[in-house]
Amino acid sequence: MVREWDPRTASSAEIASLLDTLNAVLAADLPQDPPWRESSLREYLAEVMPGERRISWIAQEDPDADGTPGAILGQVHVLLLGNIGVLEVLVHPTVRRSGLGRDLVLRAARRVYQEGFESIGVEVVGDTPAVAFYESLGFGREYVETRSVLDLSGVDWAELAEMSIGLGAGYRVEFHPGGPPDELIEAYARAKAEIRDIEDGELRPSSYDPQRLRDSLDCLHRRGMKPYIVLALHEQTGEVAGLTEVVVPAQHPTRADQYDTIVVQDHRGYGIDRAIKARMLLELRSAEPQLTEVQTWNAQANEAMLKVNAELGYRTDRDWCEYSIDVAELVHRLDATR
């Protein structure tokens, strides 16, 4: 049975069942990734930025004879933002190749089409069955990033401390747990605008407007995801010369997610990128003692950042690919095969 589903009103049993399916998928496709926890999972699924909407469906076994709800074997949600609908699909490994995945995608695609969106996208992890699945539906690959993972147990902390102070004169580095202070938001937004024109993928848009940045930070907190920010400030002007962001999710608190790392063009060549990322790791060591890993994603063409990550101890893991397709074409393809 497939039905529309709202995580805000779902029962605790449904949230727990969905978590079981999520972890079964991770165990099959990404066995080195830590399992997710139920902490703030409901909020993670429900909260979105202002102006965005998320619509979800679940595939659930029929109830038992005593009325006990059946297990959730699949789930799809689509995030409607900008001019695109972004899919995320889970199908329990025990029911793959049954047509359930196609049915879930069709449900979401029809809604995206009805809402007037022209394209639909999905993030696909390389070397998993999802690659062949989405390519069989006609999705085309648009963008590829490389994920790298840092095992904190292997870090040379003394060497890292040296890296954290190895930046040019005229800059100071600040650590801001929870987000930057409001008096720096506008300078922070100007620094993030450095990547506005770079092809950094459409499915995880960054925020360049001060108010949108505030909204983004609020949304992270509501979803149970704690942001940490390290800034390099140009002492003469007070401008943000560089920034790096790491988020520690309550849902998998032993592995943090690296978000943007940016050095403003006029301030490159002073060792800022290496220094701020090293300072972040040093701060996280005490702020989040349960952390064992940090994962980051970089464009394959971003050789400078890949080099910095390698110096910090990151090891490349696998590709993460963004795929997209015209919504009308996808609906037509799926309807034709029913």
Side-chain angles (χ1 to χ4, degrees):
M1 175 181 67
V2 177
R3 61 181 175 88
E4 196 166 328
W5 183 76
D6 187 345
R8 292 169 296 186
T9 58
S11 68
S12 297
E14 287 175 345
I15 296 293
S17 182
L18 179 60
L19 178 64
D20 288 342
T21 290
L22 170 60
N23 282 330
V25 170
L26 284 175
D29 296 344
L30 293 166
Q32 304 306 316
D33 282 27
W36 281 43
R37 304 178 184 181
E38 195 167 342
S39 178
S40 296
L41 182 58
R42 184 189 302 274
E43 293 76 13
Y44 178 86
L45 296 168
E47 295 291 341
V48 295
M49 288 277 288
E52 298 176 1
R53 287 180 293 143
R54 182 181 284 114
I55 308 170
S56 300
W57 295 260
I58 58 170
Q60 192 171 20
E61 290 182 327
D62 292 333
D64 292 342
D66 62 0
T68 302
I72 293 176
L73 298 177
Q75 189 247 3
V76 59
H77 69 243
V78 60
L79 180 64
L80 300 174
L81 70 162
N83 60 357
I84 191 170
V86 182
L87 284 179
E88 187 166 337
V89 181
L90 292 173
V91 175
H92 197 287
T94 60
V95 292
R96 287 178 175 173
R97 306 187 70 83
S98 67
L100 177 58
R102 298 173 74 90
D103 190 20
L104 290 170
V105 171
L106 179 57
R107 298 287 181 119
R110 282 176 173 165
R111 178 64 64 85
V112 173
Y113 181 74
Q114 291 166 3
E115 295 277 351
F117 289 77
E118 295 183 356
S119 63
I120 196 163
V122 64
E123 192 171 65
V124 182
V125 182
D127 299 321
T128 67
V131 174
F133 172 71
Y134 287 106
E135 290 182 352
S136 74
L137 299 182
F139 281 79
R141 186 176 297 190
E142 302 288 343
Y143 183 77
V144 180
E145 290 181 313
T146 297
R147 183 176 77 167
S148 301
V149 179
L150 174 65
D151 181 352
L152 295 177
S153 68
V155 168
D156 184 332
W157 295 102
E159 182 179 358
L160 203 70
E162 288 295 319
M163 291 183 185
S164 72
I165 58 174
L167 75 168
Y171 299 94
R172 72 177 185 274
V173 176
E174 296 182 354
F175 172 63
H176 296 286
D182 198 65
E183 63 267 20
L184 287 175
I185 284 286
E186 290 191 6
Y188 187 70
R190 286 193 293 272
K192 286 178 74 75
E194 280 281 308
I195 62 170
R196 179 179 299 163
D197 297 324
I198 298 175
E199 284 190 319
D200 61 334
E202 189 176 6
L203 306 189
R204 295 196 306 273
S206 192
S207 299
Y208 319 112
D209 173 77
Q211 187 53 51
R212 185 168 175 82
L213 276 169
R214 294 185 184 96
D215 292 339
S216 179
L217 289 164
D218 287 344
C219 184
L220 284 173
H221 285 291
R222 294 196 308 272
R223 298 183 83 198
M225 305 166 75
K226 186 172 183 180
Y228 291 92
I229 312 294
V230 170
L231 303 177
L233 298 175
H234 186 229
E235 293 181 321
Q236 184 177 357
T237 63
E239 286 296 298
V240 173
L243 62 93
T244 190
E245 308 162 334
V246 167
V247 171
V248 179
Q251 300 83 14
H252 52 89
T254 62
R255 179 181 283 192
D257 298 327
Q258 174 80 60
Y259 281 26
D260 285 341
T261 297
I262 300 166
V263 179
V264 175
Q265 182 70 43
D266 291 344
H267 301 281
R268 293 176 184 173
Y270 298 97
I272 290 174
D273 47 4
R274 183 180 296 101
I276 58 179
K277 293 195 78 167
R279 172 69 178 273
M280 175 67 81
L281 294 172
L282 290 167
E283 296 287 358
L284 288 173
R285 188 185 187 191
S286 56
E288 297 284 347
Q290 82 284 2
L291 270 185
T292 60
E293 296 171 309
V294 181
Q295 59 186 0
T296 186
W297 292 262
N298 296 102
Q300 295 175 332
N302 193 349
E303 295 179 1
M305 192 57 66
L306 290 171
K307 181 176 183 291
V308 168
N309 287 339
E311 292 172 355
L312 293 169
Y314 283 87
R315 296 292 177 263
T316 56
D317 177 32
R318 63 175 72 209
D319 288 343
W320 290 59
C321 313
E322 292 182 5
Y323 283 76
S324 67
I325 190 173
D326 178 83
V327 176
E329 177 186 347
L330 177 60
V331 172
H332 175 74
R333 280 173 173 265
L334 290 169
D335 277 336
T337 59
R338 288 176 66 84

